Amino acid sequence: MTGKEMRDMSFPTNFLWGGATAANQYEGGWKEGGRGIAVHDLMTDGTKDEPRRIYCRNDAGDEVTILQGECIPFGYQGFLKEGYYYPSHNGTDFYHHYKEDIALMAEMGFKVYRLSVSWTRIFPNGDDLVPNEEGLGFYDRVIDELKKYGIEPLVTILHFDMPLHLANVYGGWADRRLIDFYLRFARTLFERWKDKVTYWITVNEINVLGGYWTLGLASNHRKNQANSNQGETPVEDAGIKLQSIHHLLVASAMANRMAREINPDFMLGTMCALSGIYPATCHPDDVFGAYEFRRKALMFSDVTMRGYYPNYAASIFDQYHFKLRREPGDDELLRDNPSDYLAFSYYRTTAFDRNSPNTTTTGGQQAGPNPYLEKTPWGWPIDARGLRLVLNELYDRYQKPLFIVENGMGNVDIVEEDGSIHDDYRIAYLRDHIMEMKKAVEIDRVPVLGYTTWGCVDLVSAGTGEMKKRYGFVYVDLDDKGNGSFKRMKKDSFFWYQKVIGSNGENLG
Ligand code: BGP
């Protein structure tokens, strides 16, 4: 390719630049407008080294503590324990700041804004027959505000959101009846916004969902004390999780079918966490190990994009001594209703080392360290080149458009005396990743629909519950324990991203 040819190519003019958030970390207003309680409302704050917790008790009053991602012991329910801080109750208060925040997004030139709908704001218990009109009204106003500025809403139906009632009464997604409740929720949104929303994501990061927190699961084994299995997924829990994700995959396919009947022009995606995996060395066992490890993530996008479980899924299930239970018609549903595009999050890459393989994960994430990469203060390896690789990998595999719906760097920001925030580390991270995306689009010809950075306005970290792990272009005055005014302030990256979008990705500064 000549230099001239390269210069003539660029991002398509309708490329969707923007940012992404999720209700559970951003919205707040947890007891307003008739909203019901979700499991994430019971999750305390944590730190990089201290996992977030959920306090649980049974009818006899015995208490245990579970960590984020774990299943609740059978017979127990989560509760709010006095004296602890629960960051999702206020998030960063989009509920009361949506007009201001959307105006800031518009000022940056956003073409798209990815938001999620809080399930319990629409169906407070999850299994209610009639939706909560007040909750729908809130999102009507948000969507209308976006439309006012010509910003395309990208709506995630389910983003780490589990109505407490569904978890406690049904045992969450392990129970197939949740498919019907989810479909009632999805239908309500599709019908309500059929003329206003084109881009949908049925489920966020379907491959990494787990435990009580996101799937509402109870464990078959009884936990005697807190932290008894910290960081590990017991084999039997992995089985419940995989079965539950199967229910979600079926629900997602049924939602695709329903959505296409409501508006055939909808663009439907399911979202997977697909940060990349490398072999730690060129030793054949590392290379094949990395390949197998990657399949633990790709298995799920294979189902949503190709419409069937791949051949190798059976060997993954064998590792967990798990036998998938399918109902008649499941295979046809998956086959006939694949997604239109693959949405994915990309933050980092990790490396598979045959000598210390991560055997506990079921979602194909976090294989092991890579000595060649620098890390964020939270230890996430920074690898912009990996994004180009993953874009190529996924397009080679599926031949359907891709949408990068999360990317970014969590970091501590310092507010100077004059109120300025010099986040050049964030600009550097995003610039390098956009450059690699640009190469994938322009040189490799990978069709990418858009790019939404994670946490465009600062929000609570899902992984640690901290505020100081910030991703945004807009700073929110709030600390790790909920002190602050919620005041919004523009960071240097705000003005940088404005230029990126204004030049359609040509001026990366
Ligand atoms: C993804 C989630 C987001 C977001 C992001 C960053 O897995 O979809 O909700 O939180 O990761 O992670 P963290 O908030 O832990 O830094």
Side-chain angles (χ1 to χ4, degrees), residues 289-365:
Y291 186 78
E292 276 195 309
F293 193 87
R294 183 65 168 161
R295 285 173 149 184
K296 290 185 175 175
L298 292 171
M299 173 171 78
F300 301 95
S301 45
D302 281 357
V303 176
T304 66
M305 303 311 292
R306 291 171 164 166
Y308 54 90
Y309 280 93
N311 50 300
Y312 61 82
S315 95
I316 294 177
F317 295 159
D318 285 350
Q319 288 173 35
Y320 300 105
H321 314 300
F322 167 65
K323 180 123 185 48
L324 183 68
R325 290 191 310 279
R326 306 175 209 218
E327 294 226 332
D330 282 4
D331 288 346
E332 291 72 18
L333 265 167
L334 296 175
R335 185 197 62 207
D336 296 342
N337 303 285
S339 297
D340 296 317
Y341 66 95
L342 177 60
F344 70 101
S345 58
Y346 178 93
Y347 289 93
R348 51 182 159 180
T349 54
T350 51
F352 179 91
D353 180 347
R354 68 193 185 285
N355 298 314
S356 53
N358 176 351
T359 51
T360 57
T361 174
T362 48
Q365 297 296 292

Coordinates of all heavy atoms in Angstrom, one line a residue, residues 289-365:
G289 N -1.8 -24.1 25.3 CA -2.5 -23.7 26.5 C -3.2 -22.4 26.3 O -4.4 -22.2 26.7
A290 N -2.6 -21.4 25.7 CA -3.2 -20.1 25.5 C -4.4 -20.2 24.5 O -5.4 -19.6 24.7 CB -2.1 -19.1 24.9
Y291 N -4.2 -21.1 23.5 CA -5.3 -21.3 22.5 C -6.5 -21.9 23.2 O -7.6 -21.4 23.0 CB -4.7 -22.2 21.5 CG -5.7 -22.5 20.3 CD1 -5.8 -21.5 19.3 CD2 -6.4 -23.7 20.2 CE1 -6.6 -21.8 18.2 CE2 -7.2 -23.9 19.1 CZ -7.3 -22.9 18.1 OH -8.1 -23.2 17.0
E292 N -6.3 -22.8 24.1 CA -7.4 -23.5 24.8 C -8.0 -22.5 25.8 O -9.2 -22.4 26.0 CB -6.9 -24.7 25.6 CG -6.8 -25.9 24.9 CD -6.6 -27.1 25.8 OE1 -5.7 -27.1 26.7 OE2 -7.4 -28.1 25.7
F293 N -7.2 -21.7 26.4 CA -7.7 -20.7 27.4 C -8.6 -19.7 26.7 O -9.6 -19.3 27.2 CB -6.5 -20.0 28.1 CG -6.8 -19.3 29.3 CD1 -6.9 -19.9 30.6 CD2 -7.1 -17.9 29.2 CE1 -7.2 -19.2 31.7 CE2 -7.5 -17.2 30.4 CZ -7.5 -17.8 31.6
R294 N -8.1 -19.2 25.6 CA -8.9 -18.2 24.8 C -10.3 -18.8 24.5 O -11.3 -18.1 24.4 CB -8.1 -17.9 23.5 CG -8.8 -16.8 22.7 CD -8.8 -15.5 23.4 NE -9.2 -14.4 22.5 CZ -9.6 -13.2 23.0 NH1 -9.8 -13.1 24.3 NH2 -9.9 -12.2 22.2
R295 N -10.4 -20.1 24.2 CA -11.6 -20.7 23.9 C -12.7 -20.6 25.0 O -13.9 -20.7 24.7 CB -11.4 -22.2 23.5 CG -10.8 -22.3 22.1 CD -10.5 -23.8 21.8 NE -10.6 -24.1 20.4 CZ -10.4 -25.3 20.0 NH1 -10.1 -26.3 20.8 NH2 -10.5 -25.6 18.7
K296 N -12.2 -20.5 26.2 CA -13.1 -20.4 27.3 C -13.9 -19.0 27.2 O -15.0 -18.9 27.8 CB -12.4 -20.4 28.7 CG -11.9 -21.8 29.0 CD -11.3 -21.9 30.3 CE -10.9 -23.3 30.6 NZ -10.2 -23.5 31.9
A297 N -13.3 -18.1 26.5 CA -14.1 -16.8 26.3 C -14.8 -16.9 25.0 O -16.0 -16.6 24.9 CB -13.1 -15.6 26.3
L298 N -14.1 -17.4 23.9 CA -14.7 -17.4 22.6 C -15.9 -18.4 22.5 O -16.8 -18.2 21.6 CB -13.7 -17.8 21.5 CG -12.5 -16.8 21.3 CD1 -11.4 -17.4 20.5 CD2 -13.1 -15.5 20.7
M299 N -16.0 -19.3 23.4 CA -17.1 -20.3 23.3 C -18.4 -19.5 23.3 O -19.4 -19.9 22.6 CB -17.0 -21.2 24.5 CG -18.2 -22.1 24.7 SD -17.9 -23.3 26.0 CE -18.2 -22.4 27.5
F300 N -18.5 -18.4 24.1 CA -19.8 -17.7 24.3 C -20.1 -16.9 23.1 O -21.2 -16.8 22.6 CB -19.8 -16.9 25.6 CG -19.5 -17.8 26.8 CD1 -18.3 -18.0 27.3 CD2 -20.6 -18.5 27.3 CE1 -18.1 -18.8 28.4 CE2 -20.4 -19.3 28.4 CZ -19.2 -19.4 29.0
S301 N -19.0 -16.2 22.5 CA -19.3 -15.4 21.3 C -19.6 -16.3 20.1 O -20.3 -16.0 19.2 CB -18.2 -14.4 21.0 OG -16.9 -15.0 21.2
D302 N -19.0 -17.5 20.2 CA -19.3 -18.5 19.1 C -20.8 -18.8 19.1 O -21.4 -18.8 18.0 CB -18.6 -19.8 19.3 CG -17.1 -19.8 18.9 OD1 -16.7 -18.7 18.3 OD2 -16.4 -20.8 19.1
V303 N -21.4 -18.9 20.3 CA -22.8 -19.2 20.4 C -23.6 -18.1 19.8 O -24.5 -18.2 19.0 CB -23.2 -19.6 21.8 CG1 -24.8 -19.8 21.9 CG2 -22.5 -20.8 22.3
T304 N -23.3 -16.8 20.3 CA -24.1 -15.7 19.9 C -23.9 -15.3 18.5 O -24.8 -14.7 17.8 CB -23.9 -14.5 20.8 OG1 -22.6 -14.0 20.6 CG2 -24.1 -14.8 22.3
M305 N -22.7 -15.5 17.9 CA -22.5 -15.1 16.5 C -22.7 -16.2 15.5 O -23.2 -15.9 14.4 CB -21.0 -14.6 16.4 CG -20.7 -13.4 17.4 SD -21.8 -12.1 17.4 CE -21.7 -11.4 15.8
R306 N -22.4 -17.4 15.9 CA -22.5 -18.5 14.9 C -23.8 -19.3 15.1 O -24.3 -20.0 14.2 CB -21.4 -19.5 15.0 CG -20.0 -19.0 14.6 CD -19.0 -20.0 15.0 NE -17.7 -19.7 14.3 CZ -16.6 -20.3 14.6 NH1 -16.5 -21.1 15.7 NH2 -15.5 -20.0 14.0
G307 N -24.3 -19.2 16.4 CA -25.6 -19.8 16.6 C -25.5 -21.3 17.2 O -26.5 -22.0 17.2
Y308 N -24.4 -21.7 17.6 CA -24.3 -23.0 18.2 C -23.0 -23.2 19.0 O -22.1 -22.4 18.9 CB -24.2 -24.1 17.1 CG -23.2 -24.0 16.1 CD1 -21.9 -24.5 16.2 CD2 -23.4 -23.2 14.9 CE1 -20.9 -24.4 15.3 CE2 -22.4 -23.0 13.9 CZ -21.2 -23.6 14.1 OH -20.2 -23.4 13.2
Y309 N -23.1 -24.1 20.0 CA -21.9 -24.4 20.8 C -20.9 -25.0 20.0 O -21.2 -26.0 19.2 CB -22.3 -25.3 22.0 CG -23.0 -24.6 23.2 CD1 -24.3 -24.6 23.2 CD2 -22.2 -24.1 24.2 CE1 -25.0 -23.9 24.3 CE2 -22.8 -23.5 25.3 CZ -24.2 -23.4 25.3 OH -24.8 -22.8 26.4
P310 N -19.6 -24.5 20.0 CA -18.6 -25.1 19.2 C -18.2 -26.5 19.7 O -18.5 -26.9 20.8 CB -17.4 -24.2 19.4 CG -17.7 -23.5 20.7 CD -19.2 -23.4 20.9
N311 N -17.6 -27.3 18.8 CA -17.2 -28.7 19.1 C -16.4 -28.8 20.4 O -16.6 -29.7 21.2 CB -16.3 -29.2 18.0 CG -15.2 -28.3 17.6 OD1 -15.5 -27.1 17.2 ND2 -14.0 -28.7 17.8
Y312 N -15.5 -27.8 20.7 CA -14.6 -27.9 21.9 C -15.4 -27.6 23.2 O -14.8 -27.8 24.2 CB -13.4 -26.9 21.7 CG -13.8 -25.5 21.5 CD1 -14.0 -24.7 22.7 CD2 -13.9 -24.9 20.3 CE1 -14.4 -23.4 22.6 CE2 -14.2 -23.5 20.2 CZ -14.5 -22.8 21.3 OH -14.8 -21.5 21.2
A313 N -16.6 -27.1 23.1 CA -17.3 -26.7 24.3 C -17.4 -28.0 25.2 O -17.3 -27.9 26.5 CB -18.7 -26.2 24.0
A314 N -17.6 -29.1 24.6 CA -17.8 -30.4 25.4 C -16.6 -30.6 26.3 O -16.7 -31.1 27.4 CB -18.1 -31.5 24.5
S315 N -15.4 -30.3 25.7 CA -14.2 -30.6 26.5 C -14.0 -29.6 27.6 O -13.5 -29.9 28.7 CB -12.9 -30.7 25.6 OG -12.3 -29.4 25.5
I316 N -14.5 -28.4 27.4 CA -14.5 -27.4 28.5 C -15.4 -27.8 29.6 O -15.1 -27.8 30.8 CB -14.8 -26.0 28.0 CG1 -13.7 -25.5 27.0 CG2 -15.0 -25.0 29.1 CD1 -14.0 -24.1 26.4
F317 N -16.6 -28.3 29.2 CA -17.6 -28.7 30.2 C -17.0 -29.9 31.0 O -17.2 -30.0 32.2 CB -18.9 -29.1 29.5 CG -19.7 -28.0 28.9 CD1 -20.6 -28.2 27.9 CD2 -19.4 -26.7 29.3 CE1 -21.3 -27.2 27.3 CE2 -20.1 -25.6 28.7 CZ -21.0 -25.9 27.7
D318 N -16.3 -30.8 30.3 CA -15.7 -32.0 31.0 C -14.8 -31.5 32.1 O -14.7 -32.2 33.2 CB -14.9 -32.8 30.0 CG -15.7 -33.6 29.0 OD1 -17.0 -33.7 29.3 OD2 -15.2 -34.2 28.0
Q319 N -14.0 -30.5 31.9 CA -13.1 -30.0 32.9 C -13.8 -29.7 34.2 O -13.2 -29.7 35.3 CB -12.4 -28.7 32.5 CG -11.3 -29.0 31.4 CD -10.8 -27.7 30.9 OE1 -10.6 -26.7 31.6 NE2 -10.5 -27.7 29.6
Y320 N -15.1 -29.2 34.1 CA -15.9 -28.9 35.3 C -16.9 -30.0 35.6 O -17.8 -29.8 36.4 CB -16.6 -27.6 35.0 CG -15.6 -26.4 34.7 CD1 -15.5 -25.9 33.4 CD2 -14.9 -25.9 35.8 CE1 -14.6 -24.9 33.2 CE2 -14.0 -24.9 35.5 CZ -13.8 -24.4 34.2 OH -12.9 -23.4 34.0
H321 N -16.7 -31.2 35.0 CA -17.6 -32.3 35.3 C -19.0 -31.9 35.1 O -19.9 -32.2 35.9 CB -17.4 -32.9 36.7 CG -15.9 -33.1 37.1 ND1 -15.1 -33.9 36.4 CD2 -15.2 -32.5 38.1 CE1 -13.9 -33.8 36.9 NE2 -13.9 -33.0 37.9
F322 N -19.2 -31.1 34.1 CA -20.5 -30.5 33.9 C -21.2 -31.1 32.6 O -20.6 -31.3 31.6 CB -20.3 -29.0 33.7 CG -21.5 -28.2 33.2 CD1 -22.7 -28.2 34.0 CD2 -21.5 -27.6 32.0 CE1 -23.8 -27.5 33.5 CE2 -22.6 -26.9 31.5 CZ -23.7 -26.8 32.3
K323 N -22.5 -31.3 32.8 CA -23.3 -31.7 31.6 C -24.4 -30.7 31.4 O -25.2 -30.5 32.2 CB -23.9 -33.1 31.9 CG -24.7 -33.7 30.8 CD -24.2 -35.1 30.4 CE -25.0 -35.6 29.2 NZ -25.1 -34.7 28.1
L324 N -24.3 -30.1 30.2 CA -25.3 -29.0 29.9 C -26.7 -29.6 29.7 O -26.9 -30.6 29.0 CB -24.9 -28.3 28.6 CG -25.7 -27.1 28.1 CD1 -25.5 -26.0 29.1 CD2 -25.3 -26.7 26.7
R325 N -27.7 -29.0 30.4 CA -29.1 -29.4 30.2 C -29.7 -28.5 29.2 O -29.8 -27.2 29.4 CB -29.8 -29.3 31.5 CG -29.4 -30.4 32.5 CD -30.4 -30.4 33.7 NE -30.6 -29.1 34.3 CZ -29.8 -28.4 35.1 NH1 -28.7 -29.0 35.5 NH2 -30.1 -27.2 35.6
R326 N -30.1 -29.0 28.0 CA -30.8 -28.2 27.0 C -32.3 -28.7 26.9 O -32.5 -29.9 27.1 CB -30.2 -28.4 25.6 CG -28.8 -28.2 25.6 CD -28.3 -28.5 24.2 NE -26.9 -28.9 24.3 CZ -26.0 -28.6 23.4 NH1 -26.3 -27.9 22.3 NH2 -24.7 -29.0 23.5
E327 N -33.2 -27.8 26.7 CA -34.6 -28.2 26.4 C -34.8 -28.3 24.9 O -34.1 -27.7 24.2 CB -35.5 -27.1 27.0 CG -35.4 -27.0 28.5 CD -36.7 -27.0 29.2 OE1 -37.7 -26.5 28.6 OE2 -36.7 -27.4 30.3
P328 N -35.8 -29.1 24.6 CA -36.0 -29.2 23.1 C -36.3 -27.8 22.6 O -37.0 -27.0 23.2 CB -37.3 -30.1 23.1 CG -37.4 -30.7 24.4 CD -36.7 -29.9 25.4
G329 N -35.7 -27.5 21.4 CA -35.9 -26.2 20.8 C -34.8 -25.2 21.1 O -34.6 -24.3 20.4
D330 N -34.0 -25.5 22.1 CA -32.9 -24.6 22.4 C -31.9 -24.4 21.3 O -31.5 -23.3 20.9 CB -32.1 -25.0 23.6 CG -32.8 -24.8 25.0 OD1 -33.9 -24.3 24.9 OD2 -32.2 -25.0 26.0
D331 N -31.5 -25.5 20.7 CA -30.5 -25.5 19.6 C -31.1 -24.7 18.4 O -30.3 -23.9 17.8 CB -30.2 -26.9 19.2 CG -29.3 -27.6 20.2 OD1 -28.8 -26.9 21.1 OD2 -29.2 -28.8 20.1
E332 N -32.3 -24.9 18.1 CA -32.9 -24.2 16.9 C -33.0 -22.7 17.2 O -32.7 -21.8 16.4 CB -34.4 -24.7 16.6 CG -34.4 -26.1 16.1 CD -34.1 -27.2 17.1 OE1 -34.2 -26.9 18.3 OE2 -33.8 -28.3 16.7
L333 N -33.4 -22.3 18.5 CA -33.4 -20.9 18.9 C -32.1 -20.2 18.7 O -32.0 -19.1 18.2 CB -33.8 -20.8 20.3 CG -35.3 -20.6 20.6 CD1 -35.6 -20.9 22.1 CD2 -35.7 -19.2 20.2
L334 N -31.0 -20.9 19.2 CA -29.7 -20.3 19.1 C -29.3 -20.2 17.6 O -28.7 -19.2 17.2 CB -28.7 -21.2 19.9 CG -28.9 -21.3 21.4 CD1 -27.8 -22.3 22.0 CD2 -28.7 -19.9 22.1
R335 N -29.6 -21.2 16.9 CA -29.2 -21.3 15.5 C -29.9 -20.2 14.7 O -29.3 -19.5 13.8 CB -29.6 -22.6 14.9 CG -29.1 -22.8 13.4 CD -29.8 -24.0 12.8 NE -31.2 -23.8 12.7 CZ -32.2 -24.7 12.7 NH1 -31.8 -26.0 12.7 NH2 -33.4 -24.4 12.6
D336 N -31.2 -20.0 14.9 CA -32.0 -19.1 14.1 C -31.9 -17.6 14.5 O -32.4 -16.7 13.8 CB -33.5 -19.5 14.1 CG -33.6 -20.9 13.5 OD1 -32.7 -21.3 12.8 OD2 -34.7 -21.5 13.8
N337 N -31.3 -17.3 15.7 CA -31.3 -15.9 16.1 C -30.0 -15.4 16.6 O -29.9 -14.9 17.7 CB -32.4 -15.8 17.3 CG -33.7 -16.3 16.8 OD1 -34.4 -15.6 16.1 ND2 -34.1 -17.5 17.2
P338 N -29.0 -15.5 15.8 CA -27.7 -14.9 16.2 C -27.7 -13.4 16.2 O -28.6 -12.8 15.7 CB -26.7 -15.4 15.1 CG -27.6 -15.6 13.9 CD -28.9 -16.0 14.4
S339 N -26.7 -12.8 16.8 CA -26.6 -11.4 16.9 C -26.1 -10.7 15.6 O -25.5 -11.4 14.8 CB -25.7 -11.0 18.0 OG -26.2 -11.4 19.2
D340 N -26.4 -9.4 15.4 CA -26.0 -8.7 14.2 C -24.6 -8.3 14.2 O -23.9 -8.1 13.2 CB -26.9 -7.5 14.0 CG -28.4 -7.8 13.8 OD1 -28.6 -8.8 13.0 OD2 -29.2 -7.2 14.4
Y341 N -24.1 -8.0 15.4 CA -22.7 -7.5 15.6 C -22.2 -8.0 16.9 O -23.0 -8.4 17.8 CB -22.7 -6.0 15.5 CG -23.3 -5.2 16.7 CD1 -22.6 -4.8 17.8 CD2 -24.7 -5.0 16.7 CE1 -23.2 -4.2 18.9 CE2 -25.3 -4.3 17.7 CZ -24.6 -3.9 18.8 OH -25.2 -3.3 19.9
L342 N -20.9 -8.1 17.0 CA -20.3 -8.5 18.3 C -19.7 -7.3 19.0 O -18.9 -6.5 18.5 CB -19.1 -9.5 18.0 CG -18.3 -9.9 19.2 CD1 -19.2 -10.6 20.2 CD2 -17.2 -10.8 18.9
A343 N -20.3 -7.0 20.2 CA -19.8 -6.0 21.1 C -18.9 -6.6 22.0 O -19.1 -7.7 22.5 CB -21.0 -5.4 21.8
F344 N -17.8 -5.9 22.3 CA -16.8 -6.5 23.3 C -16.1 -5.4 24.1 O -16.0 -4.3 23.7 CB -15.9 -7.5 22.6 CG -14.8 -6.8 21.7 CD1 -13.5 -6.6 22.1 CD2 -15.2 -6.4 20.4 CE1 -12.6 -6.0 21.3 CE2 -14.2 -5.8 19.6 CZ -13.0 -5.6 20.0
S345 N -15.6 -5.8 25.2 CA -14.8 -4.9 26.0 C -13.3 -5.4 25.9 O -13.0 -6.6 25.7 CB -15.1 -5.0 27.5 OG -15.0 -6.3 28.0
Y346 N -12.4 -4.4 25.8 CA -11.0 -4.7 25.7 C -10.3 -3.7 26.6 O -10.3 -2.5 26.5 CB -10.5 -4.5 24.3 CG -9.0 -4.7 24.1 CD1 -8.5 -6.0 23.8 CD2 -8.1 -3.7 24.4 CE1 -7.2 -6.2 23.8 CE2 -6.8 -3.9 24.4 CZ -6.3 -5.2 24.0 OH -4.9 -5.4 24.0
Y347 N -9.5 -4.3 27.6 CA -8.8 -3.4 28.5 C -7.3 -3.8 28.5 O -6.4 -2.9 28.7 CB -9.3 -3.6 30.0 CG -10.6 -3.0 30.2 CD1 -11.8 -3.7 30.0 CD2 -10.7 -1.6 30.5 CE1 -13.0 -3.2 30.3 CE2 -12.0 -1.1 30.7 CZ -13.1 -1.8 30.6 OH -14.3 -1.2 30.8
R348 N -6.9 -5.0 28.2 CA -5.6 -5.5 28.5 C -5.4 -6.8 27.8 O -6.3 -7.4 27.2 CB -5.4 -5.7 30.0 CG -6.6 -6.6 30.6 CD -6.5 -6.8 32.1 NE -7.7 -7.2 32.7 CZ -7.9 -7.4 34.0 NH1 -6.9 -7.3 34.8 NH2 -9.1 -7.7 34.5
T349 N -4.1 -7.3 27.9 CA -3.9 -8.7 27.5 C -3.2 -9.4 28.7 O -2.6 -8.8 29.5 CB -3.0 -8.9 26.3 OG1 -1.8 -8.2 26.5 CG2 -3.7 -8.4 25.0
T350 N -3.3 -10.7 28.7 CA -2.6 -11.5 29.8 C -1.9 -12.7 29.0 O -2.2 -12.9 27.9 CB -3.5 -12.0 30.9 OG1 -4.6 -12.7 30.3 CG2 -4.0 -10.8 31.7
A351 N -1.0 -13.4 29.8 CA -0.3 -14.4 29.1 C -0.5 -15.8 29.8 O -0.5 -15.8 31.1 CB 1.2 -14.1 29.1
F352 N -0.6 -16.8 29.0 CA -0.8 -18.2 29.6 C 0.5 -18.8 29.8 O 1.3 -19.0 28.9 CB -1.7 -19.0 28.7 CG -1.9 -20.4 29.2 CD1 -3.0 -20.7 30.0 CD2 -1.0 -21.4 28.9 CE1 -3.1 -22.0 30.5 CE2 -1.1 -22.7 29.4 CZ -2.2 -23.0 30.2
D353 N 0.8 -19.3 31.0 CA 2.1 -19.9 31.4 C 1.7 -21.4 31.8 O 1.0 -21.6 32.8 CB 2.7 -19.1 32.5 CG 4.0 -19.7 33.0 OD1 4.3 -20.9 32.6 OD2 4.8 -19.1 33.7
R354 N 2.3 -22.3 31.1 CA 2.0 -23.7 31.4 C 2.4 -24.1 32.8 O 1.8 -25.1 33.4 CB 2.7 -24.7 30.4 CG 4.2 -24.6 30.5 CD 4.9 -25.3 29.4 NE 6.4 -25.4 29.6 CZ 7.2 -24.4 29.5 NH1 6.8 -23.2 29.2 NH2 8.5 -24.6 29.6
N355 N 3.3 -23.4 33.4 CA 3.8 -23.8 34.8 C 2.9 -23.2 35.8 O 2.9 -23.7 37.0 CB 5.2 -23.2 35.0 CG 6.2 -23.9 34.0 OD1 6.1 -25.1 33.9 ND2 7.0 -23.1 33.4
S356 N 2.0 -22.2 35.5 CA 1.1 -21.7 36.5 C -0.2 -21.3 35.9 O -0.6 -20.1 35.8 CB 1.7 -20.5 37.3 OG 2.2 -19.5 36.4
P357 N -0.9 -22.3 35.3 CA -2.1 -22.0 34.6 C -3.2 -21.6 35.6 O -3.3 -22.1 36.7 CB -2.5 -23.3 33.9 CG -1.8 -24.4 34.7 CD -0.6 -23.7 35.3
N358 N -4.1 -20.6 35.1 CA -5.2 -20.3 35.9 C -6.3 -21.3 35.6 O -6.9 -21.2 34.5 CB -5.6 -18.8 35.6 CG -6.9 -18.4 36.3 OD1 -7.6 -19.2 36.9 ND2 -7.3 -17.1 36.2
T359 N -6.6 -22.2 36.5 CA -7.6 -23.2 36.3 C -8.9 -22.9 36.8 O -9.9 -23.7 36.7 CB -7.1 -24.6 36.9 OG1 -6.8 -24.3 38.3 CG2 -5.9 -25.1 36.2
T360 N -9.1 -21.8 37.5 CA -10.3 -21.6 38.2 C -11.3 -20.7 37.4 O -12.5 -20.8 37.7 CB -10.1 -20.8 39.6 OG1 -9.4 -19.6 39.3 CG2 -9.3 -21.7 40.5
T361 N -10.9 -20.0 36.4 CA -11.8 -19.2 35.6 C -12.6 -20.0 34.7 O -12.2 -21.0 34.1 CB -11.0 -18.1 34.9 OG1 -11.9 -17.4 34.1 CG2 -9.9 -18.7 34.0
T362 N -13.9 -19.5 34.5 CA -14.7 -20.1 33.4 C -14.9 -19.2 32.2 O -15.6 -19.6 31.3 CB -16.1 -20.5 34.0 OG1 -16.6 -19.4 34.7 CG2 -16.0 -21.7 34.9
G363 N -14.4 -18.0 32.3 CA -14.7 -17.0 31.2 C -13.6 -16.7 30.3 O -13.7 -15.8 29.4
G364 N -12.4 -17.3 30.5 CA -11.2 -17.1 29.7 C -10.6 -15.7 29.8 O -10.2 -15.1 28.9
Q365 N -10.5 -15.2 31.1 CA -9.9 -13.9 31.3 C -8.7 -14.1 32.3 O -8.7 -15.1 33.1 CB -10.9 -12.9 32.0 CG -12.1 -12.6 31.1 CD -11.6 -11.9 29.8 OE1 -11.2 -10.8 29.8 NE2 -11.7 -12.6 28.7

